Amino acid sequence: MEYETLMTIQGYAKFALVTLVFIVFYSYAYSIYKRDKKGERDFEKYSNLVLDDSIESKPLEDRKEEKEKIKKEYDFSTVASYSESRYKMLLNIKKILIQNDFNYLFHLFIREIGLYRESKRLKHKLDKDICKTMKLSNMKTSEIIAKSKCVLDLIDSTHEGQSLRIFECIANDTKILTTNDSIKSEEFYDGKMIKILDEDFTIDSEWLNYEGCYANKDQYHVSNWVKSFFDN
């Protein structure tokens, strides 16, 4: 290809690119102008961010407090890593749930090699309705919590404090049935939403179907945690 021809093609390509960029930015600017004129959003106040960007500043937009109510698909659920104590506990719980016609979703993550070794050690195949070799993403786990009436929080003996699962339950107004007795001392503890799991695993249907919510749950919102971090 001759040099002049190459330069001509390059020139047309640059012109096309500049034209495309101009159209994109002009369209975006026009959409801002249109939304501002319709009163959908006041873009002028965003310019104040240059002068007022403190963590204590008033939000430019009100956060939507009301969100679409998520349908609760599971009566009980738990997503955790495998441990023998959790597995044996869920085996017993599963029998009770089936007897009482409750639906559930159990997901104890264990790797393929771990599944083989545990089955050999316990001298029986692990229940694949409970033990899974596919690890769930954080997004999928959060979705399951949101769609559950109650989450089973089965902690190990070495565990201290509260897991992030607890705060996800609070955010979604999902009830908690836990083996962690220390939760009673937490500020968010509410007997209408949280119960301690007893050895017999008795199911209170009235408690399970009670459509309650956690009081003052906004104080556990991430924005408040960020604010307290900077305050300290």
Side-chain angles (χ1 to χ4, degrees):
M1 183 180 291
E2 294 182 1
Y3 178 74
E4 289 185 4
T5 305
L6 184 63
M7 291 299 293
T8 302
I9 294 173
Q10 196 175 52
Y12 279 119
K14 285 182 179 179
F15 177 77
L17 182 61
V18 170
T19 303
L20 178 63
V21 171
F22 174 79
I23 292 172
V24 170
F25 278 95
Y26 183 81
S27 299
Y28 179 66
Y30 179 73
S31 69
I32 290 177
Y33 171 79
K34 193 174 180 181
R35 280 184 286 169
D36 188 73
K37 284 295 182 183
K38 286 184 176 180
E40 293 179 8
R41 181 167 293 180
D42 183 6
F43 286 96
E44 285 189 15
K45 63 184 178 183
Y46 282 82
S47 61
N48 293 331
L49 283 173
V50 178
L51 304 173
D52 185 11
D53 61 350
S54 169
I55 190 69
E56 296 179 350
S57 300
K58 185 179 178 182
L60 295 178
E61 303 288 345
D62 293 329
R63 191 175 76 237
K64 284 188 176 180
E65 298 295 339
E66 294 184 6
K67 57 182 180 181
E68 188 178 346
K69 194 170 183 180
I70 300 173
K71 184 181 178 182
K72 301 292 185 180
E73 296 180 9
Y74 315 109
D75 291 320
F76 294 92
S77 74
T78 188
V79 177
S81 56
Y82 173 87
S83 71
E84 186 180 347
S85 60
R86 279 191 184 124
Y87 174 66
K88 289 183 175 180
M89 197 177 299
L90 286 177
L91 273 178
N92 294 327
I93 291 173
K94 177 185 172 182
K95 292 177 184 176
I96 298 171
L97 293 180
I98 291 174
Q99 289 171 0
N100 292 275
D101 292 325
F102 288 105
N103 60 56
Y104 61 89
L105 189 153
F106 295 160
H107 191 112
L108 291 188
F109 172 68
I110 182 171
R111 299 187 185 280
E112 288 279 1
I113 187 66
L115 185 68
Y116 169 76
R117 287 173 178 172
E118 280 294 287
S119 297
K120 190 174 181 180
R121 187 177 69 84
L122 297 174
K123 297 181 180 180
H124 67 80
K125 288 186 177 180
L126 296 182
D127 188 341
K128 290 188 177 180
D129 192 32
I130 298 174
C131 299
K132 314 287 184 180
T133 56
M134 183 183 72
K135 190 171 185 178
L136 296 180
S137 65
N138 291 333
M139 185 177 293
K140 183 62 179 177
T141 301
S142 297
E143 182 184 325
I144 291 171
I145 291 173
K147 291 181 177 180
S148 302
K149 290 182 181 179
C150 179
V151 163
L152 300 174
D153 179 46
L154 312 177
I155 63 167
D156 291 323
S157 57
T158 56
H159 183 85
E160 293 183 3
Q162 309 303 327
S163 66
L164 286 175
R165 297 279 184 274
I166 297 297
F167 297 99
E168 286 185 276
C169 288
I170 292 172
N172 290 285
D173 290 324
T174 298
K175 295 180 183 66
I176 302 166
L177 199 53
T178 180
T179 55
N180 189 357
D181 195 61
S182 68
I183 201 170
K184 289 182 178 179
S185 62
E186 298 289 350
E187 187 179 1
F188 57 76
Y189 178 77
D190 180 354
K192 292 181 179 179
M193 300 297 292
I194 303 172
K195 280 188 178 292
I196 306 301
L197 184 63
D198 55 45
E199 293 181 1
D200 298 328
F201 187 68
T202 52
I203 304 171
D204 185 346
S205 297
E206 186 176 342
W207 174 80
L208 180 66
N209 293 310
Y210 167 70
E211 295 187 4
C213 59
Y214 292 89
N216 303 319
K217 65 180 181 180
D218 275 357
Q219 65 181 303
Y220 302 106
H221 192 273
V222 66
S223 60
N224 290 324
W225 285 10
V226 172
K227 185 178 184 301
S228 64
F229 174 79
F230 281 102
D231 286 344
N232 294 329

